[in-house]
Amino acid sequence: MKNSEIGPAGSELGHFLAHNFTVDTESPSLTDPPPLLQNCFFVYEKNSFVRLPINSILYLKAESNYVRIFTQEQRYLVSQSLSRIEQKMQTYPYLMRVHRSYLINTSHISRINTRSVCIADHTIPITKKVHKTFMGRIQAIQI
């Protein structure tokens, strides 16, 4: 898997992401126009923007001031905080913050353990604070 390239801070890329990384169409403003494409966003990679459908995301992991986005095919590194990305993706109910460092796509969960979930052979921790809310959102049948 290759990592995507990140332009320097304050670059045209940073300006583009800051003004176009939006999915909130219910409250558009003059400073934050509605997105042109729904259910996707673009990630900068090798001097171009690559379309990334939201449903292709397995999970996102915070790494200092960056976020690594994991899909089945590739990993991308973007210069946004996880909180900022979470805020922009709040209209997608299947994306959920389960840990201060992780935002997951619940549609890709293969196993739920006491304090973690498995997505594509990766174990992701769930904090105690989030566990009850998380289990309330998951449809589980206990045998």
Side-chain angles (χ1 to χ4, degrees):
M1 292 185 192
K2 299 182 289 186
N3 290 331
S4 65
E5 298 174 6
I6 300 175
S11 67
E12 290 182 28
L13 168 62
H15 181 74
F16 177 85
L17 291 173
H19 288 68
N20 293 296
F21 192 87
T22 182
V23 293
D24 183 10
T25 58
E26 294 183 13
S27 59
S29 68
L30 294 175
T31 60
D32 197 12
L36 297 175
L37 300 172
Q38 298 296 317
N39 299 319
C40 70
F41 61 94
F42 288 83
V43 176
Y44 188 72
E45 179 184 47
K46 296 182 182 177
N47 301 320
S48 64
F49 291 94
V50 177
R51 183 175 180 268
L52 185 61
I54 300 290
N55 63 0
S56 71
I57 296 172
L58 299 174
Y59 63 95
L60 297 90
K61 181 181 180 187
E63 295 181 4
S64 188
N65 292 326
Y66 299 95
V67 171
R68 191 167 307 275
I69 301 171
F70 292 82
T71 67
Q72 292 210 7
E73 297 81 30
Q74 194 164 347
R75 291 184 281 176
Y76 301 93
L77 187 64
V78 295
S79 60
Q80 292 267 334
S81 70
L82 189 58
S83 295
R84 170 103 172 144
I85 292 174
E86 178 184 23
Q87 179 183 30
K88 295 295 183 178
M89 293 185 173
Q90 66 186 354
T91 57
Y92 298 99
Y94 49 88
L95 296 176
M96 185 175 184
R97 184 85 169 252
V98 294
H99 186 274
R100 71 183 210 169
S101 298
Y102 290 94
L103 181 70
I104 65 168
N105 185 339
T106 57
S107 63
H108 292 286
I109 294 173
S110 58
R111 180 176 295 275
I112 301 171
N113 298 318
T114 307
R115 293 284 181 239
S116 64
V117 295
C118 294
I119 297 177
D121 297 328
H122 298 280
T123 301
I124 299 166
I126 300 176
T127 63
K128 289 181 183 180
K129 181 180 175 182
V130 174
H131 188 263
K132 186 175 181 178
T133 304
F134 174 76
M135 291 306 292
R137 288 182 62 186
I138 300 295
Q139 296 178 9
I141 299 172
Q142 295 183 355
I143 299 175

